[in-house]
Amino acid sequence: MGRSRYLRAVHAGPAGGLDPEAPEALLECLSGVSERIGRQAVLIAMDDLSAIAVSRVAPMLRERFRIPHQPDNLPARVADKAELSRLCSRWDVPHPETVIPASGAEASEAAWRLGLPVVAKWSRPWLLPTGADGLRSTTLVHTAAEARRLYERSAEAGSRLLLQRFLPAGPDTDWFFHGAFARGGRPLLAGSGRKELSWPVRTGLTAVGRWLPDPAVEAAALRLAERLGYQGILDLDFRRDEQGCFRLVDFNPRPGAQFRLFTDAAGLDVVQAMYLDLTGQRVPQPSGGPGRVFVAENYALLAAVRGGSLPRRRAAEQVRGPVAPATAAGRPAGAAEQAPPVVAGQRTGPGRAAEPEPGPDHREADHHGADHHGADPHGSAAGAQSAPAGRPVRPGRGGGVETAWFAADDLLPFLAMLGAFLGRGAGKGVRVLRGVPAQGRRTARAVVRTPRQRGEQPAAAPPSAPPSAPAPAPAAGAASRPVPPEASAEPDELVTR
C-alpha cells in the first residue's frame, strides 16, 4: 500500500517491533507520531497485537488520540482463547466444546474423549516465541500422545493449552460477523457473512465472502458485544456444526481483512462509522448492502484452482433473512466538527483490503484518505489523514463486488500485488525445477478429517489411547454425533505450506 496515491505519510513503528507485554515502546512511538501530526487524531488498531498494546497505553494517549473506550484490558481478554470460552459459557453464546487440561495426562484423556482429531490452541498466541519449532497458534492434533506432548511445552508457549472438539469444514459452514459499536455495545453498523472460498482451502483467510444476514449469527454477536459493553470494531468467526448450530470460534478486537464487504449503499463501512462516532459526528442510518461479494484476487485465484471453481451468484441466497434492526443503528447527531486525522490501517485504498504477510517490517503506521481503508490481521496500528467532514463519500456498490486490490482510480497497489504474486510463483517454480524441497524450512501438512468418536473405534484401542482410562459416557444431546451425509471420510484438504 506504500504505492497508493491516497497515502499521505508513513510513520515507522516501534524499533524492534511491537510487544504487547511491554507497550512502552509503542507509547513513545505514538507520542512522536502525534507530535508530527500536530493535532488530536483517531487511533484504530488493525490487528490483535496492536489492539492489546494500545488498550494498555490508552490512558496516557487520551489527550493525543481519540480511542475507543475499552477498559479492563478488554482486547486481551477477548483475544485470550481460554477467557473467550469462559465468557461464551457465562453468556450462553454457542462455542465448541473446550477443555483446558491441567496435566499431560488430562490433555491425553481429553483429546480421546472429545474425539480425534481435536483442535489445540494456545490461549494467548501473541506470547508464542518467534521461530519455535512445532509451536503454532492452532494445531490439528491426531493422537492423544500428540496432545500430551503439546501440553508439556506449555511453559515454552507462555500460555495455557486448550483442546476443542473439531468441527468439520464444508459448504456453508464458515461464517463471520463485522461490527462497529459505540459505548455500551450499541451497534453503529454491523452484518454477518459467509466465507465461500478461503486460502489455504477451508482453513485460511477469506478469498471470497458474501454478505448474508443470518439471525442466529447476528443475535450471538450482538449479545456478546452488549454484555461486554464493547466500543470499537470487532471481527468474529463462526463455524456451523453438524446440527446446524453456529459456534463462535474466534474473537478479533479489530477490523477484519474483508471489512469493506460490509459497506452500505452510501459507501459507509465499519471504520468510517467508528471514525464518525469518535469525532462526535452523526453516523447515518445504514441502507442496503446485503448480497455484496468480497474477492481477494490473489487468494481467490489460488483457492479456485485448488478447490475447483469460484462460487456462483445464487439469487435465492442474496439475503437469508431480514436484517435485524439492531445491526444497523444510527447514532444521535453529535457536535459537527472538522474531522481530525484518522489512524487506520496499512496496505489499503479504495475498495481494497490487505494481503497479510506477517513480519516486523509490517509493524508500521501509514496515513491515507479516510474514505479508503484496509485491514491486515498481521499488521499494526497505523494511521490515515482524513478528509474534512462533509466530503462526499464514494457510493457503495450494493449487491456488487468489492475487490481487495483492484481499483480503477488507483492501480498501483494492484500492480504491486500482482508483481509480488508472480514473483513468488516464479521462485517456487525455479525451486521445483531444481529439485529443491519446498520450504524445508517450514513445511507443514495438515490433513482434515471428520472426527472419530470412541464408540466408532474397532475393539482394539489405538496405541495412543490411555491404556487404563474407562470410556466416558457421552455428553447429553451428543450421544453419537453422526457425521453429516455430505461429509466425506477422506481428508477435506491436504495443505502444504
Side-chain angles (χ1 to χ4, degrees):
M1 276 317 304
R3 294 178 172 83
S4 173
R5 71 185 183 90
Y6 290 92
L7 186 73
R8 179 170 300 183
V10 176
H11 302 276
L18 181 63
D19 182 0
E21 300 303 312
E24 295 78 12
L26 178 65
L27 176 61
E28 182 180 354
C29 173
L30 289 177
S31 297
V33 170
S34 174
E35 293 292 337
R36 289 191 291 275
I37 291 175
R39 56 182 176 146
Q40 196 178 41
V42 171
L43 183 64
I44 298 176
M46 301 301 286
D47 71 283
D48 292 349
L49 287 181
S50 298
I52 294 167
V54 166
S55 72
R56 291 175 175 170
V57 298
M60 288 80 80
L61 292 172
R62 294 292 177 191
E63 298 301 316
R64 297 178 179 275
F65 295 97
R66 301 191 183 198
I67 308 172
H69 183 64
Q70 297 179 331
D72 304 322
N73 207 19
L74 182 58
R77 288 172 55 205
V78 296
D80 185 316
K81 314 301 182 186
E83 177 68 8
L84 179 62
S85 177
R86 188 186 69 81
L87 292 175
C88 288
S89 298
R90 177 181 174 186
W91 292 327
D92 196 28
V93 174
H95 187 65
E97 185 180 354
T98 302
V99 176
I100 305 176
S103 67
E106 282 190 23
S108 179
E109 192 279 330
W112 189 241
R113 176 170 57 82
L114 289 169
L116 294 167
V118 296
V119 177
K121 298 180 179 180
W122 298 107
S123 63
R124 298 182 177 182
W126 60 90
L127 297 179
L128 289 172
T130 303
D133 182 41
L135 285 181
R136 295 180 176 83
S137 60
T138 302
T139 305
L140 194 63
V141 172
H142 294 274
T143 68
E146 188 180 351
R148 177 194 289 267
R149 288 194 298 270
L150 207 54
Y151 175 85
E152 291 170 351
R153 302 186 67 180
S154 296
E156 182 184 358
S159 63
R160 292 178 290 178
L161 178 70
L162 285 76
L163 298 176
Q164 288 184 344
R165 186 171 79 85
F166 172 66
L167 304 177
D172 198 36
T173 58
D174 290 320
W175 288 68
F176 45 81
F177 176 94
H178 283 58
F181 293 83
R183 283 207 180 205
R186 180 171 59 85
L188 301 167
L189 174 66
S192 62
R194 185 178 65 197
K195 188 184 293 188
E196 301 199 340
L197 283 180
S198 58
W199 183 255
V201 175
R202 298 188 185 177
T203 63
L205 300 165
T206 301
V208 178
R210 191 183 301 269
W211 184 348
L212 292 176
D214 187 280
V217 172
E218 291 172 355
L222 293 170
R223 180 165 66 252
L224 189 56
E226 181 183 12
R227 296 290 176 86
L228 289 169
Y230 190 88
Q231 183 187 19
I233 300 171
L234 54 77
D235 165 31
L236 308 180
D237 292 321
F238 291 82
R239 176 160 285 189
R240 189 168 59 88
D241 67 13
E242 301 94 319
Q243 285 74 42
C245 177
F246 289 100
R247 298 187 180 275
L248 178 65
V249 295
D250 205 8
F251 189 126
N252 303 302
R254 41 76 179 171
Q258 70 273 34
F259 78 86
R260 279 287 300 175
L261 169 64
F262 299 95
T263 305
D264 77 352
L268 182 72
D269 61 38
V270 293
V271 173
Q272 292 177 7
M274 194 75 255
Y275 169 79
L276 292 173
D277 182 70
L278 289 173
T279 55
Q281 302 178 74
R282 186 182 68 86
V283 179
Q285 183 74 18
S287 60
R292 281 168 53 81
V293 175
F294 168 85
V295 178
E297 300 94 320
N298 46 347
Y299 295 140
L301 176 61
L302 293 171
V305 170
R306 191 68 180 249
S309 64
L310 289 168
R312 295 180 180 274
R313 184 186 181 95
R314 294 176 287 277
E317 286 189 339
Q318 293 312 300
V319 181
R320 288 170 64 101
V323 180
T327 65
R331 89 185 270 282
E337 61 176 61
Q338 174 126 347
V342 57
V343 178
Q346 58 188 15
R347 282 208 255 305
T348 60
R352 224 186 282 40
E355 178 184 27
E357 296 179 19
D361 53 324
H362 297 152
R363 290 173 180 152
E364 299 178 354
D366 38 299
H367 298 270
H368 54 85
D371 292 344
H372 310 291
H373 310 285
D376 184 343
H378 302 283
S380 153
Q385 296 282 0
S386 80
R391 173 180 172 178
V393 179
R394 184 168 55 94
R397 291 165 287 180
V401 175
E402 179 77 27
T403 53
W405 293 99
F406 179 80
D409 62 345
D410 190 17
L411 291 174
L412 286 178
F414 174 79
L415 296 175
M417 178 278 295
L418 186 62
F421 180 72
L422 295 176
R424 285 194 296 268
K428 290 181 179 179
V430 169
R431 285 195 298 271
V432 169
L433 291 175
R434 290 179 176 178
V436 178
Q439 309 215 317
R441 15 200 197 263
R442 287 181 63 174
T443 299
R445 292 180 181 271
V447 181
V448 180
R449 296 182 183 274
T450 55
R452 301 192 299 272
Q453 302 303 318
R454 253 192 106 135
E456 299 170 2
Q457 300 294 330
S464 59
S468 59
S480 60
R481 287 205 201 102
V483 176
E486 66 273 12
S488 169
E490 294 301 311
D492 286 330
E493 180 63 20
L494 179 63
V495 177
T496 303
R497 59 178 183 270

PDB file of all heavy atoms in Angstrom, residues 462-491:
ATOM      1  N   PRO A 462      -6.536 -47.921  19.931  1.00  0.00           N
ATOM      2  CA  PRO A 462      -5.309 -47.477  19.267  1.00  0.00           C
ATOM      3  C   PRO A 462      -4.195 -47.289  20.276  1.00  0.00           C
ATOM      4  O   PRO A 462      -4.450 -47.034  21.445  1.00  0.00           O
ATOM      5  CB  PRO A 462      -5.713 -46.141  18.630  1.00  0.00           C
ATOM      6  CG  PRO A 462      -6.910 -45.698  19.374  1.00  0.00           C
ATOM      7  CD  PRO A 462      -7.609 -46.925  19.833  1.00  0.00           C
ATOM      8  N   PRO A 463      -2.957 -47.369  19.828  1.00  0.00           N
ATOM      9  CA  PRO A 463      -1.828 -47.275  20.747  1.00  0.00           C
ATOM     10  C   PRO A 463      -1.801 -45.988  21.539  1.00  0.00           C
ATOM     11  O   PRO A 463      -1.302 -45.946  22.635  1.00  0.00           O
ATOM     12  CB  PRO A 463      -0.603 -47.374  19.826  1.00  0.00           C
ATOM     13  CG  PRO A 463      -1.118 -47.996  18.566  1.00  0.00           C
ATOM     14  CD  PRO A 463      -2.539 -47.628  18.446  1.00  0.00           C
ATOM     15  N   SER A 464      -2.326 -44.900  20.959  1.00  0.00           N
ATOM     16  CA  SER A 464      -2.236 -43.615  21.639  1.00  0.00           C
ATOM     17  C   SER A 464      -3.270 -43.443  22.718  1.00  0.00           C
ATOM     18  O   SER A 464      -3.253 -42.472  23.447  1.00  0.00           O
ATOM     19  CB  SER A 464      -2.377 -42.481  20.611  1.00  0.00           C
ATOM     20  OG  SER A 464      -3.594 -42.597  19.952  1.00  0.00           O
ATOM     21  N   ALA A 465      -4.241 -44.357  22.809  1.00  0.00           N
ATOM     22  CA  ALA A 465      -5.285 -44.202  23.809  1.00  0.00           C
ATOM     23  C   ALA A 465      -4.738 -44.529  25.180  1.00  0.00           C
ATOM     24  O   ALA A 465      -3.923 -45.423  25.340  1.00  0.00           O
ATOM     25  CB  ALA A 465      -6.451 -45.132  23.478  1.00  0.00           C
ATOM     26  N   PRO A 466      -5.192 -43.862  26.225  1.00  0.00           N
ATOM     27  CA  PRO A 466      -4.753 -44.203  27.563  1.00  0.00           C
ATOM     28  C   PRO A 466      -5.127 -45.635  27.878  1.00  0.00           C
ATOM     29  O   PRO A 466      -6.292 -46.027  27.731  1.00  0.00           O
ATOM     30  CB  PRO A 466      -5.523 -43.211  28.453  1.00  0.00           C
ATOM     31  CG  PRO A 466      -5.893 -42.105  27.535  1.00  0.00           C
ATOM     32  CD  PRO A 466      -6.074 -42.721  26.195  1.00  0.00           C
ATOM     33  N   PRO A 467      -4.212 -46.479  28.312  1.00  0.00           N
ATOM     34  CA  PRO A 467      -4.469 -47.899  28.459  1.00  0.00           C
ATOM     35  C   PRO A 467      -5.490 -48.227  29.526  1.00  0.00           C
ATOM     36  O   PRO A 467      -6.204 -49.202  29.415  1.00  0.00           O
ATOM     37  CB  PRO A 467      -3.087 -48.466  28.825  1.00  0.00           C
ATOM     38  CG  PRO A 467      -2.306 -47.298  29.344  1.00  0.00           C
ATOM     39  CD  PRO A 467      -2.827 -46.106  28.640  1.00  0.00           C
ATOM     40  N   SER A 468      -5.588 -47.429  30.563  1.00  0.00           N
ATOM     41  CA  SER A 468      -6.486 -47.801  31.646  1.00  0.00           C
ATOM     42  C   SER A 468      -7.674 -46.888  31.779  1.00  0.00           C
ATOM     43  O   SER A 468      -8.471 -47.041  32.681  1.00  0.00           O
ATOM     44  CB  SER A 468      -5.709 -47.799  32.971  1.00  0.00           C
ATOM     45  OG  SER A 468      -5.172 -46.504  33.203  1.00  0.00           O
ATOM     46  N   ALA A 469      -7.801 -45.895  30.908  1.00  0.00           N
ATOM     47  CA  ALA A 469      -8.898 -44.942  31.044  1.00  0.00           C
ATOM     48  C   ALA A 469     -10.195 -45.572  30.586  1.00  0.00           C
ATOM     49  O   ALA A 469     -10.300 -46.059  29.474  1.00  0.00           O
ATOM     50  CB  ALA A 469      -8.614 -43.683  30.226  1.00  0.00           C
ATOM     51  N   PRO A 470     -11.236 -45.576  31.428  1.00  0.00           N
ATOM     52  CA  PRO A 470     -12.534 -46.130  31.014  1.00  0.00           C
ATOM     53  C   PRO A 470     -13.182 -45.222  30.007  1.00  0.00           C
ATOM     54  O   PRO A 470     -12.922 -44.028  29.960  1.00  0.00           O
ATOM     55  CB  PRO A 470     -13.331 -46.157  32.334  1.00  0.00           C
ATOM     56  CG  PRO A 470     -12.704 -45.067  33.163  1.00  0.00           C
ATOM     57  CD  PRO A 470     -11.254 -45.058  32.804  1.00  0.00           C
ATOM     58  N   ALA A 471     -14.045 -45.799  29.183  1.00  0.00           N
ATOM     59  CA  ALA A 471     -14.735 -44.997  28.172  1.00  0.00           C
ATOM     60  C   ALA A 471     -15.758 -44.128  28.857  1.00  0.00           C
ATOM     61  O   ALA A 471     -16.674 -44.625  29.502  1.00  0.00           O
ATOM     62  CB  ALA A 471     -15.432 -45.927  27.170  1.00  0.00           C
ATOM     63  N   PRO A 472     -15.658 -42.803  28.755  1.00  0.00           N
ATOM     64  CA  PRO A 472     -16.615 -41.926  29.417  1.00  0.00           C
ATOM     65  C   PRO A 472     -17.953 -41.957  28.721  1.00  0.00           C
ATOM     66  O   PRO A 472     -18.060 -42.204  27.527  1.00  0.00           O
ATOM     67  CB  PRO A 472     -15.964 -40.545  29.272  1.00  0.00           C
ATOM     68  CG  PRO A 472     -15.112 -40.666  28.057  1.00  0.00           C
ATOM     69  CD  PRO A 472     -14.639 -42.083  28.024  1.00  0.00           C
ATOM     70  N   ALA A 473     -18.992 -41.669  29.503  1.00  0.00           N
ATOM     71  CA  ALA A 473     -20.337 -41.626  28.923  1.00  0.00           C
ATOM     72  C   ALA A 473     -20.441 -40.420  28.035  1.00  0.00           C
ATOM     73  O   ALA A 473     -19.920 -39.363  28.344  1.00  0.00           O
ATOM     74  CB  ALA A 473     -21.374 -41.547  30.049  1.00  0.00           C
ATOM     75  N   PRO A 474     -21.100 -40.556  26.888  1.00  0.00           N
ATOM     76  CA  PRO A 474     -21.232 -39.398  26.000  1.00  0.00           C
ATOM     77  C   PRO A 474     -22.047 -38.298  26.639  1.00  0.00           C
ATOM     78  O   PRO A 474     -22.932 -38.561  27.442  1.00  0.00           O
ATOM     79  CB  PRO A 474     -21.930 -39.987  24.753  1.00  0.00           C
ATOM     80  CG  PRO A 474     -22.564 -41.254  25.212  1.00  0.00           C
ATOM     81  CD  PRO A 474     -21.743 -41.764  26.352  1.00  0.00           C
ATOM     82  N   ALA A 475     -21.734 -37.066  26.259  1.00  0.00           N
ATOM     83  CA  ALA A 475     -22.455 -35.919  26.809  1.00  0.00           C
ATOM     84  C   ALA A 475     -23.888 -35.928  26.343  1.00  0.00           C
ATOM     85  O   ALA A 475     -24.225 -36.442  25.288  1.00  0.00           O
ATOM     86  CB  ALA A 475     -21.774 -34.614  26.379  1.00  0.00           C
ATOM     87  N   ALA A 476     -24.749 -35.324  27.171  1.00  0.00           N
ATOM     88  CA  ALA A 476     -26.165 -35.276  26.825  1.00  0.00           C
ATOM     89  C   ALA A 476     -26.366 -34.559  25.521  1.00  0.00           C
ATOM     90  O   ALA A 476     -25.794 -33.521  25.266  1.00  0.00           O
ATOM     91  CB  ALA A 476     -26.920 -34.550  27.953  1.00  0.00           C
ATOM     92  N   GLY A 477     -27.223 -35.107  24.689  1.00  0.00           N
ATOM     93  CA  GLY A 477     -27.534 -34.482  23.417  1.00  0.00           C
ATOM     94  C   GLY A 477     -26.503 -34.740  22.355  1.00  0.00           C
ATOM     95  O   GLY A 477     -26.631 -34.280  21.238  1.00  0.00           O
ATOM     96  N   ALA A 478     -25.409 -35.466  22.691  1.00  0.00           N
ATOM     97  CA  ALA A 478     -24.376 -35.736  21.693  1.00  0.00           C
ATOM     98  C   ALA A 478     -23.953 -37.194  21.781  1.00  0.00           C
ATOM     99  O   ALA A 478     -22.791 -37.532  21.759  1.00  0.00           O
ATOM    100  CB  ALA A 478     -23.182 -34.828  21.917  1.00  0.00           C
ATOM    101  N   ALA A 479     -24.935 -38.093  21.861  1.00  0.00           N
ATOM    102  CA  ALA A 479     -24.633 -39.491  22.080  1.00  0.00           C
ATOM    103  C   ALA A 479     -23.838 -40.093  20.942  1.00  0.00           C
ATOM    104  O   ALA A 479     -22.969 -40.905  21.131  1.00  0.00           O
ATOM    105  CB  ALA A 479     -25.935 -40.268  22.288  1.00  0.00           C
ATOM    106  N   SER A 480     -24.154 -39.699  19.735  1.00  0.00           N
ATOM    107  CA  SER A 480     -23.479 -40.329  18.607  1.00  0.00           C
ATOM    108  C   SER A 480     -22.712 -39.343  17.737  1.00  0.00           C
ATOM    109  O   SER A 480     -21.786 -39.694  17.060  1.00  0.00           O
ATOM    110  CB  SER A 480     -24.491 -41.071  17.734  1.00  0.00           C
ATOM    111  OG  SER A 480     -25.460 -40.164  17.253  1.00  0.00           O
ATOM    112  N   ARG A 481     -23.128 -38.068  17.728  1.00  0.00           N
ATOM    113  CA  ARG A 481     -22.537 -37.051  16.855  1.00  0.00           C
ATOM    114  C   ARG A 481     -22.302 -37.601  15.466  1.00  0.00           C
ATOM    115  O   ARG A 481     -21.180 -37.735  15.009  1.00  0.00           O
ATOM    116  CB  ARG A 481     -21.209 -36.546  17.411  1.00  0.00           C
ATOM    117  CG  ARG A 481     -21.328 -35.660  18.615  1.00  0.00           C
ATOM    118  CD  ARG A 481     -20.093 -34.769  18.684  1.00  0.00           C
ATOM    119  NE  ARG A 481     -19.912 -34.274  20.024  1.00  0.00           N
ATOM    120  CZ  ARG A 481     -19.003 -34.792  20.854  1.00  0.00           C
ATOM    121  NH1 ARG A 481     -18.223 -35.758  20.456  1.00  0.00           N
ATOM    122  NH2 ARG A 481     -18.871 -34.306  22.053  1.00  0.00           N
ATOM    123  N   PRO A 482     -23.382 -37.997  14.743  1.00  0.00           N
ATOM    124  CA  PRO A 482     -23.180 -38.604  13.418  1.00  0.00           C
ATOM    125  C   PRO A 482     -22.535 -37.639  12.461  1.00  0.00           C
ATOM    126  O   PRO A 482     -22.748 -36.436  12.513  1.00  0.00           O
ATOM    127  CB  PRO A 482     -24.619 -38.929  12.974  1.00  0.00           C
ATOM    128  CG  PRO A 482     -25.468 -37.951  13.721  1.00  0.00           C
ATOM    129  CD  PRO A 482     -24.793 -37.747  15.049  1.00  0.00           C
ATOM    130  N   VAL A 483     -21.716 -38.182  11.582  1.00  0.00           N
ATOM    131  CA  VAL A 483     -21.100 -37.371  10.542  1.00  0.00           C
ATOM    132  C   VAL A 483     -22.175 -37.029   9.519  1.00  0.00           C
ATOM    133  O   VAL A 483     -22.939 -37.899   9.104  1.00  0.00           O
ATOM    134  CB  VAL A 483     -19.958 -38.153   9.855  1.00  0.00           C
ATOM    135  CG1 VAL A 483     -19.374 -37.352   8.710  1.00  0.00           C
ATOM    136  CG2 VAL A 483     -18.886 -38.487  10.886  1.00  0.00           C
ATOM    137  N   PRO A 484     -22.306 -35.772   9.094  1.00  0.00           N
ATOM    138  CA  PRO A 484     -23.331 -35.432   8.120  1.00  0.00           C
ATOM    139  C   PRO A 484     -23.118 -36.201   6.829  1.00  0.00           C
ATOM    140  O   PRO A 484     -21.991 -36.501   6.441  1.00  0.00           O
ATOM    141  CB  PRO A 484     -23.124 -33.916   7.904  1.00  0.00           C
ATOM    142  CG  PRO A 484     -21.759 -33.639   8.412  1.00  0.00           C
ATOM    143  CD  PRO A 484     -21.490 -34.635   9.487  1.00  0.00           C
ATOM    144  N   PRO A 485     -24.216 -36.541   6.109  1.00  0.00           N
ATOM    145  CA  PRO A 485     -24.100 -37.387   4.920  1.00  0.00           C
ATOM    146  C   PRO A 485     -23.131 -36.849   3.885  1.00  0.00           C
ATOM    147  O   PRO A 485     -22.451 -37.602   3.227  1.00  0.00           O
ATOM    148  CB  PRO A 485     -25.543 -37.399   4.372  1.00  0.00           C
ATOM    149  CG  PRO A 485     -26.401 -37.029   5.530  1.00  0.00           C
ATOM    150  CD  PRO A 485     -25.573 -36.152   6.405  1.00  0.00           C
ATOM    151  N   GLU A 486     -23.066 -35.501   3.764  1.00  0.00           N
ATOM    152  CA  GLU A 486     -22.212 -34.967   2.711  1.00  0.00           C
ATOM    153  C   GLU A 486     -20.742 -34.964   3.097  1.00  0.00           C
ATOM    154  O   GLU A 486     -19.886 -34.661   2.290  1.00  0.00           O
ATOM    155  CB  GLU A 486     -22.642 -33.531   2.349  1.00  0.00           C
ATOM    156  CG  GLU A 486     -22.429 -32.505   3.453  1.00  0.00           C
ATOM    157  CD  GLU A 486     -23.608 -32.441   4.406  1.00  0.00           C
ATOM    158  OE1 GLU A 486     -24.461 -33.347   4.323  1.00  0.00           O
ATOM    159  OE2 GLU A 486     -23.678 -31.488   5.204  1.00  0.00           O
ATOM    160  N   ALA A 487     -20.413 -35.228   4.368  1.00  0.00           N
ATOM    161  CA  ALA A 487     -19.020 -35.192   4.802  1.00  0.00           C
ATOM    162  C   ALA A 487     -18.317 -36.478   4.398  1.00  0.00           C
ATOM    163  O   ALA A 487     -18.723 -37.561   4.770  1.00  0.00           O
ATOM    164  CB  ALA A 487     -18.958 -35.017   6.325  1.00  0.00           C
ATOM    165  N   SER A 488     -17.287 -36.336   3.617  1.00  0.00           N
ATOM    166  CA  SER A 488     -16.550 -37.489   3.157  1.00  0.00           C
ATOM    167  C   SER A 488     -15.616 -37.987   4.233  1.00  0.00           C
ATOM    168  O   SER A 488     -15.143 -37.260   5.069  1.00  0.00           O
ATOM    169  CB  SER A 488     -15.738 -37.100   1.908  1.00  0.00           C
ATOM    170  OG  SER A 488     -14.821 -38.106   1.590  1.00  0.00           O
ATOM    171  N   ALA A 489     -15.354 -39.307   4.222  1.00  0.00           N
ATOM    172  CA  ALA A 489     -14.403 -39.873   5.165  1.00  0.00           C
ATOM    173  C   ALA A 489     -12.978 -39.577   4.741  1.00  0.00           C
ATOM    174  O   ALA A 489     -12.035 -39.775   5.497  1.00  0.00           O
ATOM    175  CB  ALA A 489     -14.603 -41.380   5.265  1.00  0.00           C
ATOM    176  N   GLU A 490     -12.818 -39.099   3.506  1.00  0.00           N
ATOM    177  CA  GLU A 490     -11.499 -38.730   3.024  1.00  0.00           C
ATOM    178  C   GLU A 490     -11.113 -37.349   3.559  1.00  0.00           C
ATOM    179  O   GLU A 490     -11.971 -36.590   3.981  1.00  0.00           O
ATOM    180  CB  GLU A 490     -11.496 -38.708   1.480  1.00  0.00           C
ATOM    181  CG  GLU A 490     -11.694 -40.073   0.871  1.00  0.00           C
ATOM    182  CD  GLU A 490     -10.607 -41.051   1.321  1.00  0.00           C
ATOM    183  OE1 GLU A 490      -9.421 -40.688   1.234  1.00  0.00           O
ATOM    184  OE2 GLU A 490     -10.953 -42.147   1.772  1.00  0.00           O
ATOM    185  N   PRO A 491      -9.835 -37.039   3.546  1.00  0.00           N
ATOM    186  CA  PRO A 491      -9.438 -35.703   4.010  1.00  0.00           C
ATOM    187  C   PRO A 491     -10.156 -34.618   3.212  1.00  0.00           C
ATOM    188  O   PRO A 491     -10.276 -34.707   2.002  1.00  0.00           O
ATOM    189  CB  PRO A 491      -7.924 -35.670   3.758  1.00  0.00           C
ATOM    190  CG  PRO A 491      -7.519 -37.105   3.703  1.00  0.00           C
ATOM    191  CD  PRO A 491      -8.691 -37.848   3.146  1.00  0.00           C
TER     192      PRO A 491
END
